[in-house]
Amino acid sequence: TAPGGTEAPPRRIPRNSAEPSEQEKVWYQQIVDQSLDSSLMKRYGSIDEQVEAILFLASDDASYLTGSIVFVDGGTI
């Protein structure tokens, strides 16, 4: 699949244990805002929505699909 932004819980083990600076928080929020603004659904997907697409592709129901990219991204423009 080609996943878009996905709402997920915080990492159990953070990549960096340092508290983000105020500038980093601003940058991160800009990324979130840009992702939401460029999505037709104006929201992040859920983990369950991503899983459903993966399970479909792994199932016999998708046995005739070949070389396809399934975008699970809420209609990202």
Side-chain angles (χ1 to χ4, degrees):
T1 66
T6 304
E7 189 70 41
R11 293 175 172 268
R12 291 184 201 176
I13 300 171
R15 290 181 180 172
N16 183 351
S17 60
E19 182 69 26
S21 69
E22 289 306 310
Q23 183 61 55
E24 289 170 324
K25 290 177 185 178
V26 168
W27 288 334
Y28 180 76
Q29 188 60 51
Q30 288 173 337
I31 293 168
V32 170
D33 294 344
Q34 181 182 8
S35 296
L36 295 176
D37 289 344
S38 67
S39 169
L40 295 175
M41 297 183 113
K42 304 298 184 205
R43 67 176 178 84
Y44 279 135
S46 70
I47 291 175
D48 288 340
E49 288 170 317
Q50 297 292 344
V51 167
E52 289 299 322
I54 293 166
L55 291 176
F56 167 71
L57 292 172
S59 75
D60 289 340
D61 291 336
S63 65
Y64 203 62
L65 284 173
T66 59
S68 299
I69 298 173
V70 177
F71 295 95
V72 187
D73 63 1
T76 299
I77 301 169

